[in-house]
């Protein structure tokens, strides 16, 4: 099979040449010291950091997942992604948690533990647990990204998902490991441009397709069976296909995911972009920019979902042949696990001579002479695989030449996620583990080479982990509900409760992570909401017990933290640390930060929903959404923007 033309390959070569060129160019500068390698010398402008943050959130695998829910549910698919993909956490990064972390002056989230808890044995244990938690979480994110990249590229290249993911891993390593955070920022800026061009072309193709058809609602109903596909309101119950039954109670899940995201957001912010920002003002502006540019992802995904409706109608007028073809494959392949299914269909499509003629003839009879190209759209459950809608649209709808451009845009989204994860994980292992405990007197040259080695190790481990999961939605659900649930309580309490100490953080994180890993190994089919409730309860219990079984943080450490970070919450015993004028200014800052939360959440939701409603022709709902957006922007201007510090501040 050859789905790419000569022009597509030219675009690929140019794209990868630019990435590798950036890596080579910044190698020497990144090797100056660890602050340059991991934070680009804390000298990047806010708009560059904002574009980098957008690129990190705009990942290929997440785009495939969200497209699958938009294909199944229409604009209402956004409510499923309140669990993480809608980016509501950006609101809290913009308002206060980003600047709180920047004020520490540290390089990594694990080093921040020393700043918060001191230098006793429990503080060092907390730092090590932070390393473990962040590396495990990053490995999960990397595995999820590799899994999606492999599934995606295997529809265009004559290789299995495993081999395609391996190719992506090697290319990413070539430019990320050697150029550090400089490579992350500057490749993200280049990749942002690629993404914007790709979004424009896909949206234009979709608008032309809709205008030439007519009744989009009727098409959606005939393909998905959902008469409310165009609706933007969250219904109480929806009928989801096999493998997605956990999402039937849409309204309840939306509320649950929303509350979970708010709790998670109040404890976030330990991101290299904030540690490397030049001022508090820059922390807010970079997240505001990331929110606006992140918005472009949603018209892209609803466009792929709409084009997916046309695609499925054209390829499978009678969808019963899908289940018949799936059963035929299973009858010849014998016992096959869900996570092995993509590899199996890729082998059948690419190497039909290795399989019985009866199977190949049967597939040709059911799916037609072009059966091999349709095969990847079949799910393990005998339905259209929603996770393959996005690459399926590229394969069958987007013409050659333009296809290469869109592929590059999506690979840019994937690789911007890869490089940020690798850089972050390498920072924890080099700065906090190797330099912090194994070789505290290591020279700069040694540390840079150790960073290269850790970067390669993270790549390999993430790649191997990718193939223990049955689908990208499966691992994404576990990351957002299981792993995140395991560390949510300690990461929140460290910011808002004076009595919370290193022992509480270390023990709470340890039991939360163990609970998440045990659930993954022994109860992998547990529904997402049950995962989160079960794990967060264990993490809460561990955090409280650990806090009161271990000595409090030293008063001098607490006072320094309170004076420099200036948090709100349960900090009354530290109120005497600041002068009356400083306390008044801090309370004013807190008041406006908190008032801005509902306004900013409204802004974030509206900028995602509005372009989707315009694209599918729901102009009445779009007008209402636009009105809320204007009101939110006016509110943010007065409660947030005018309250930003007027000039840059030095790192304390």
């Amino acid at each position: 099979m050859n789905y790419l033309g000569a022009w597509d390959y030219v675009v690929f070569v140019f794209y990868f040449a630019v990435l590798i060129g950036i890596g080579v160019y910044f190698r020497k500068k990144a090797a100056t010291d660890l602050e340059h390698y991991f934070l680009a010398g804390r000298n990047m402008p806010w708009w560059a950091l904002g574009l980098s943050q957008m690129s990190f959130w705009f990942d290929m695998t997440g785009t495939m997942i969200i497209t699958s829910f938009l294909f199944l549910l229409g604009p209402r698919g956004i409510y499923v992604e309140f669990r993480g993909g809608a980016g509501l956490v950006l609101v809290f990064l913009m308002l206060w948690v980003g600047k709180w972390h920047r004020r520490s002056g540290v390089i990594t989230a694990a080093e921040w533990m020393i700043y918060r808890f001191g230098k006793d044995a429990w503080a060092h244990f907390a730092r090590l647990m932070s390393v473990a938690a962040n590396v495990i979480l990053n490995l999960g994110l990397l595995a999820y990204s590799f899994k999606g990249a492999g599934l995606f590229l295997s529809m265009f290249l004559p290789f299995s998902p495993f081999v395609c993911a391996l190719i992506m891993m090697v290319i990413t390593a070539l430019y990320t490991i050697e150029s550090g955070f400089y490579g992350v920022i500057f490749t993200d800026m280049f990749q942002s441009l690629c993404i914007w061009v790709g979004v424009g072309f896909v949206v234009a193709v979709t608008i032309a397709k809709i205008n030439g058809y007519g009744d989009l609602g009727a098409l959606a109903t005939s393909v998905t069976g959902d008469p409310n596909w165009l609706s933007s309101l969250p219904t109480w119950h929806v009928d989801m296909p096999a493998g997605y039954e956990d999402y039937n109670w849409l309204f309840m899940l939306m509320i649950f995911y929303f509350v979970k995201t708010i709790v998670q957001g109040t404890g976030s912010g330990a991101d290299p972009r904030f540690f490397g920002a030049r001022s508090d003002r820059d922390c807010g502006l970079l997240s505001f920019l990331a929110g606006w540019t992140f918005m472009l992802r949603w018209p892209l995904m609803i466009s792929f979902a709409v084009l997916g409706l046309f695609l499925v109608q054209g390829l499978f007028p009678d969808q019963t042949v899908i289940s018949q073809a799936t059963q035929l494959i299973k009858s010849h392949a014998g016992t096959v696990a869900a996570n092995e299914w993509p590899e199996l269909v890729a082998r059948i499509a690419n190497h039909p001579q290795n399989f019985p003629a009866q199977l190949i003839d049967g597939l040709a009879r059911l799916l037609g002479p072009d059966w091999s190209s349709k095969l990847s759209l079949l799910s393990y459950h005998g339905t259209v695989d929603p996770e393959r809608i996005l690459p399926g649209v590229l394969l069958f709808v987007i013409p050659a030449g333009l296809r290469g451009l869109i592929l590059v845009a999506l690979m840019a989204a994937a690789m911007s996620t890869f490089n940020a994860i690798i850089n972050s994980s390498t920072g924890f292992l080099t700065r906090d583990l190797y330099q912090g405990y194994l070789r505290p007197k290591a020279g700069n040259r040694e540390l840079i080479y150790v960073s290269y080695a850790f970067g390669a190790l993270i790549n390999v481990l993430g790649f191997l982990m990718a193939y223990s999961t049955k689908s990208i939605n499966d691992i994404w659900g576990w990351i957002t509900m299981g792993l995140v649930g395991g560390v949510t309580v300690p990461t929140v309490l460290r910011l808002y409760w004076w009595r919370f100490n290193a022992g509480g953080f270390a023990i709470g994180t340890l039991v939360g992570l163990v609970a998440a890993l045990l659930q993954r190994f022994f109860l992998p089919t547990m529904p997402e909401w049950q995962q989160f409730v079960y794990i967060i309860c264990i993490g809460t219990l561990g955090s409280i017990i650990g806090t009161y079984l271990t000595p409090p943080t030293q008063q001098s450490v607490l006072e320094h933290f309170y004076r420099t970070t200036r948090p709100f919450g349960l900090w009354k015993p530290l109120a005497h640390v600041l002068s009356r004028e400083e306390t008044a200014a801090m309370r004013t800052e807190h008041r406006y930060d908190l008032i801005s939360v509902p306004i900013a959440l409204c802004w974030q939701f509206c900028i995602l929903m509005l372009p989707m409603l315009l694209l599918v022709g729901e102009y009445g709902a779009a007008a209402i959404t636009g009105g809320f957006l204007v009101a939110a922007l006016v509110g943010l201007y007065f409660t947030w923007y005018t309250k930003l510090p007027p000039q840059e501040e030095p790192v304390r």
Side-chain angles (χ1 to χ4, degrees):
M1 296 183 293
N2 185 17
Y3 300 122
L4 301 177
W7 173 244
D8 296 322
Y9 288 111
V10 170
V11 174
F12 280 175
V13 170
F14 173 76
Y15 169 70
F16 289 127
V18 170
L19 292 186
I20 295 172
I22 290 174
V24 172
Y25 181 80
F26 285 103
R27 179 178 182 178
K28 184 176 181 180
K29 193 168 186 178
T32 303
D33 54 41
L34 288 189
E35 188 166 287
H36 278 80
Y37 189 83
F38 293 119
L39 297 181
R42 303 183 197 265
N43 200 36
M44 286 289 108
W46 63 266
W47 54 266
L49 295 172
L51 291 178
S52 175
Q53 189 175 54
M54 181 278 294
S55 295
F56 173 71
W57 283 75
F58 204 134
D59 67 300
M60 177 200 288
T61 308
T63 302
M64 291 170 65
I65 291 177
I66 301 173
T67 297
S68 71
F69 283 104
L70 295 177
F71 170 78
L72 295 171
L73 295 170
R76 292 173 301 165
I78 191 175
Y79 300 114
V80 175
E81 281 309 320
F82 277 8
R83 63 181 174 177
L88 300 182
V89 169
L90 281 170
V91 166
F92 302 96
L93 298 174
M94 180 180 82
L95 296 180
W96 70 80
V97 291
K99 64 185 178 184
W100 284 8
H101 284 84
R102 186 205 70 85
R103 291 168 181 174
S104 67
V106 302
I107 292 179
T108 71
E111 186 181 0
W112 187 93
M113 297 300 154
I114 302 299
Y115 162 73
R116 169 65 175 86
F117 298 122
K119 297 182 180 181
D120 62 12
W122 283 106
H124 287 293
F125 186 26
R127 184 181 188 182
L128 290 173
M129 284 311 306
S130 180
V131 171
N134 281 283
V135 170
I136 291 172
L137 180 60
N138 282 347
L139 283 174
L141 289 170
L142 198 60
Y144 142 86
S145 300
F146 280 145
K147 181 77 173 181
L151 292 172
F152 179 87
L153 290 176
S154 65
M155 293 187 66
F156 303 92
L157 300 173
F159 307 116
S160 70
F162 180 89
V163 174
C164 291
L166 179 62
I167 294 171
M168 290 288 281
M169 181 194 75
V170 171
I171 293 174
T172 307
L174 286 176
Y175 75 88
T176 300
I177 294 175
E178 65 178 357
S179 58
F181 201 53
Y182 286 105
V184 173
I185 297 298
F186 284 94
T187 56
D188 282 353
M189 291 168 60
F190 168 65
Q191 289 169 155
S192 295
L193 178 61
C194 297
I195 291 169
W196 296 341
V197 173
V199 170
F201 276 109
V202 174
V203 170
V205 170
T206 306
I207 292 174
K209 194 81 171 179
I210 294 174
N211 290 339
Y213 183 79
D215 194 345
L216 181 61
L219 170 65
T221 301
S222 67
V223 172
T224 67
D226 185 355
N228 299 312
W229 194 90
L230 292 176
S231 173
S232 58
L233 298 176
T235 49
W236 185 263
H237 183 273
V238 292
D239 293 318
M240 299 293 280
Y244 290 82
E245 298 91 344
D246 289 346
Y247 304 95
N248 284 339
W249 299 99
L250 180 62
F251 186 83
M252 294 299 293
L253 279 177
M254 178 195 73
I255 298 299
F256 178 78
Y257 288 148
F258 183 69
V259 173
K260 170 259 176 189
T261 298
I262 289 178
V263 174
Q264 177 191 346
T266 59
S268 59
D271 183 293
R273 293 165 188 82
F274 297 108
F275 289 136
R278 296 185 297 194
S279 68
D280 286 1
R281 182 183 183 87
D282 281 10
C283 289
L285 292 176
L286 77 88
S287 295
F288 190 60
L289 175 63
W292 279 109
T293 50
F294 178 69
M295 174 266 290
L296 294 172
R297 187 186 197 189
W298 291 83
L300 174 71
M301 293 183 297
I302 195 68
S303 294
F304 278 122
V306 169
L307 294 175
L309 298 175
F310 288 102
L311 173 66
V312 173
Q313 183 195 51
L315 293 180
F316 307 108
D318 177 12
Q319 293 191 35
T320 60
V321 301
I322 299 175
S323 61
Q324 294 173 23
T326 301
Q327 290 303 317
L328 178 63
I329 294 172
K330 289 181 178 179
S331 67
H332 284 83
T335 303
V336 55
N339 65 304
E340 298 171 347
W341 180 258
E343 296 287 332
L344 174 61
V345 295
R347 290 198 303 270
I348 295 173
N350 294 324
H351 307 287
Q353 69 277 6
N354 296 335
F355 293 86
Q358 184 180 4
L359 170 61
I360 304 304
D361 293 341
L363 291 173
R365 185 180 68 256
L366 289 169
L367 303 179
D370 56 346
W371 64 269
S372 61
S373 59
K374 298 178 181 178
L375 203 58
S376 58
L377 290 170
L378 275 58
S379 77
Y380 176 80
H381 301 282
T383 59
V384 171
D385 187 349
E387 293 182 358
R388 295 294 190 103
I389 288 297
L390 190 157
V393 167
L394 282 178
L395 181 63
F396 292 100
V397 179
I398 304 299
L402 180 57
R403 183 181 302 149
L405 182 63
I406 307 303
L407 278 171
V408 161
L410 290 168
M411 284 194 294
M415 298 181 80
S416 63
T417 304
F418 294 167
N419 61 27
I421 293 171
I422 293 166
N423 181 265
S424 174
S425 302
T426 303
F428 290 120
L429 294 173
T430 303
R431 174 76 170 186
D432 297 295
L433 183 62
Y434 189 82
Q435 186 185 34
Y437 299 102
L438 300 179
R439 289 274 295 166
K441 296 183 179 180
N444 183 67
R445 185 180 182 87
E446 177 183 342
L447 292 172
I448 295 299
Y449 281 118
V450 167
S451 297
Y452 295 164
F454 278 135
L457 176 64
I458 290 296
N459 262 286
V460 172
L461 292 178
F463 173 75
L464 295 176
M465 187 177 172
Y467 289 92
S468 64
T469 182
K470 61 184 179 182
S471 69
I472 53 178
N473 185 61
D474 170 63
I475 194 170
W476 178 238
W478 178 65
I479 290 169
T480 56
M481 295 292 125
L483 275 182
V484 169
V487 300
T488 290
V489 174
T491 56
V492 171
L493 292 180
R494 68 193 170 95
L495 292 172
Y496 303 97
W497 183 25
W498 73 273
R499 179 60 179 84
F500 189 63
N501 58 7
F505 181 89
I507 295 173
T509 301
L510 176 62
V511 299
L513 286 177
V514 170
L517 293 171
L518 289 176
Q519 177 270 315
R520 182 66 177 174
F521 285 115
F522 296 108
L523 298 169
T525 60
M526 179 182 285
E528 290 178 7
W529 71 270
Q530 292 182 15
Q531 291 180 36
F532 187 77
V533 171
Y534 148 69
I535 294 170
I536 204 170
C537 286
I538 292 177
T540 301
L541 188 63
S543 297
I544 300 300
I545 292 175
T547 296
Y548 286 106
L549 284 182
T550 56
T553 305
Q554 290 182 0
Q555 186 69 15
S556 60
V557 174
L558 281 176
E559 290 181 1
H560 178 260
F561 172 80
Y562 186 75
R563 184 181 297 109
T564 52
T565 300
R566 302 189 297 279
F568 57 77
L570 303 177
W571 291 95
K572 188 175 181 180
L574 279 301
H576 66 279
V577 170
L578 302 178
S579 67
R580 182 176 300 178
E581 293 76 14
E582 289 173 323
T583 299
M586 182 181 70
R587 288 177 177 172
T588 300
E589 176 188 349
H590 293 165
R591 182 168 62 253
Y592 282 110
D593 285 347
L594 291 171
I595 290 172
S596 299
V597 171
I599 303 172
L601 286 170
C602 179
W603 159 73
Q604 182 70 29
F605 175 76
C606 288
I607 62 174
L608 305 185
M609 180 62 82
L610 181 59
M612 292 197 294
L613 294 174
L614 290 173
L615 195 141
V616 301
E618 289 293 288
Y619 299 118
I624 296 172
T625 305
F628 277 106
L629 175 58
V630 171
L633 286 172
V634 172
L636 279 180
Y637 177 79
F638 289 106
T639 65
W640 172 72
Y641 182 75
T642 59
K643 310 304 177 185
L644 289 173
Q647 58 188 4
E648 296 182 356
E649 306 168 354
V651 175
R652 293 174 173 81

